[in-house]
Amino acid sequence: MKVTRRTLLGTIAACLSAGSGFEAFAQDGWPSRLVRLVSPYGAGGANDISLRILAEQFGRSLGQQFTVENKPGAGTRIANELVARAVPDGYTFLYAAAPYATAEALFGKLKYERKDLQPVAMTVMAPLFLIVNAKASFKNLQEMIAYGKSQPDGLTFASPGAGSQPHLAAELLLRDAGVKGLNVQYRGDAMAYTELLAGRVDATLTAISTALPHLQNGDFRVLGVASAERSDIYLQAPTLREQGFPNVVASGWFGFMAPAGTPQPIVERMQQEINRALADPEVKQKLLAQGLETRAGSAAEFGKFIDDETRKWSEVIRVAGLKGE
């Protein structure tokens, strides 16, 4: 039988009128071409490295290329907006980071809305370790707090950017400890470490992977970790909870999000691939080497986590009177 344009259009219309039949037909071959994974940071950091580890695993499992596209800037808002406005066809995903949950509280009205993006699955958490100069007079957290209370200006923290998780965690610790303090903002961890080494700031909260060389050299000391439980990454570090600060729980985190309206079968398939990759022993070890703990789960769990983080840190931002730059 000769297939005319009229016949083809009629077939498509019939599929569409039958509900999701045509949509299911279109999704059976996903992915049939390159998939973009958008990172809100530049190359070389934990977000970028972990994303490339996962992208390689997805490509091997699904037989298509998953490419990493770095779109840094504006506290992750550039990447967030790009994916929020992308076609919801399953070929663009955001590798969201912790500032996603605090952007509106810090910057006010955004160029995208939360409803423009939907959770797919969380991937990893980066515990924040409280680090001080090894030559500091205080040897533990309680001594550091006492030292801060004895100083006219309190404690000074180095933070890798206003509104970052290290910045907000430091604000929460200062508030709960009843100590005056100042958060000094730098462009990334390297500059913050330089100031800490020089003794111009008292402490920083950071992912331990980037601080490890200084710890091994004996230049830095770890006073604790701001996680709910001790981290396998550095088990000897007591939690801040153990040391009398139960509210000071903070971590960097990453996870996949998709443009709202992305077909549910594709979202579910992507979620399965994420969790499969995170369960792979080799992948887990590679991520652990970057100071990252795997956190597999569902889209609903990731969505609840984001909502909880948004409420928690929005209150910290409000009380501290913080504004994004």
Side-chain angles (χ1 to χ4, degrees):
M1 182 182 74
K2 183 178 179 180
V3 178
T4 65
R5 182 173 182 273
R6 183 185 296 275
T7 303
L8 181 60
L9 290 175
T11 301
I12 292 173
C15 287
L16 290 172
S17 66
S20 61
F22 182 72
E23 182 182 83
F25 171 79
Q27 291 162 23
D28 281 346
W30 183 89
S32 61
R33 55 184 170 85
L34 179 148
V35 180
R36 291 195 306 164
L37 306 177
V38 181
S39 165
Y41 295 108
N47 179 281
D48 174 71
I49 292 171
S50 60
L51 180 54
R52 291 179 189 277
I53 290 169
L54 293 171
E56 181 181 355
Q57 196 76 3
F58 298 156
R60 188 181 300 121
S61 175
L62 292 169
Q64 283 293 340
Q65 184 181 359
F66 283 70
T67 184
V68 174
E69 196 171 304
N70 299 97
K71 293 292 181 181
T76 77
R77 287 170 291 152
I78 289 174
N80 298 347
E81 182 184 354
L82 185 154
V83 178
R85 298 184 183 281
V87 177
D89 58 2
Y91 290 90
T92 303
F93 292 89
L94 171 69
Y95 197 46
Y100 177 82
T102 59
E104 192 169 357
L106 279 169
F107 300 101
K109 186 169 177 59
L110 306 173
K111 293 181 180 179
Y112 59 92
E113 297 183 42
R114 289 278 296 276
K115 64 180 178 64
D116 296 333
L117 289 158
Q118 65 183 91
V120 179
M122 193 172 183
T123 56
V124 294
M125 296 189 79
L128 297 179
F129 290 82
L130 178 60
I131 303 243
V132 301
N133 191 312
K135 295 177 181 177
S137 60
F138 37 84
K139 307 303 181 187
N140 56 52
L141 179 55
Q142 295 302 332
E143 288 183 6
M144 188 181 91
I145 297 302
Y147 169 82
K149 289 181 177 179
S150 73
Q151 300 300 303
D153 297 320
L155 293 168
T156 51
F157 277 82
S159 298
S164 63
Q165 282 297 102
H167 176 198
L168 297 178
E171 292 286 354
L172 186 54
L173 177 58
L174 289 169
R175 187 190 76 182
D176 284 11
V179 182
K180 290 193 298 183
L182 176 67
N183 259 287
V184 186
Q185 309 304 327
Y186 299 96
R187 290 182 179 274
D189 286 325
M191 291 180 67
Y193 294 163
T194 298
E195 296 300 283
L196 187 57
L197 286 166
R200 287 189 284 266
V201 293
D202 296 316
T204 188
L205 281 146
T206 184
I208 205 164
S209 57
T210 53
L212 199 55
H214 299 294
L215 289 167
Q216 291 170 337
N217 291 340
D219 295 325
F220 286 170
R221 180 187 299 120
V222 178
L223 298 190
V225 60
S227 52
E229 299 175 352
R230 292 199 182 199
S231 171
D232 289 339
I233 298 167
Y234 201 79
L235 272 172
Q236 57 266 52
T239 66
L240 302 188
R241 276 184 164 183
E242 290 175 56
Q243 301 180 75
F245 297 95
N247 296 323
V248 187
V249 177
S251 295
W253 56 262
F254 308 131
F256 286 98
M257 304 191 80
T262 299
Q264 192 59 27
I266 292 178
V267 171
E268 291 173 359
R269 180 68 186 279
M270 184 65 173
Q271 181 187 120
Q272 291 169 5
E273 292 301 324
I274 292 164
N275 290 331
R276 182 180 290 119
L278 294 176
D280 184 277
E282 185 179 346
V283 170
K284 289 174 76 76
Q285 189 55 46
K286 286 180 179 178
L287 293 171
L288 194 64
Q290 297 299 320
L292 302 170
E293 300 173 343
T294 55
R295 289 289 189 274
S298 68
E301 289 168 335
F302 188 29
K304 182 180 183 305
F305 173 81
I306 292 172
D307 289 342
D308 291 345
E309 287 286 283
T310 300
R311 281 191 295 271
K312 174 180 177 177
W313 295 115
S314 294
E315 177 64 10
V316 172
I317 290 166
R318 185 189 65 79
V319 171
L322 303 177
K323 294 294 181 183
E325 298 174 354

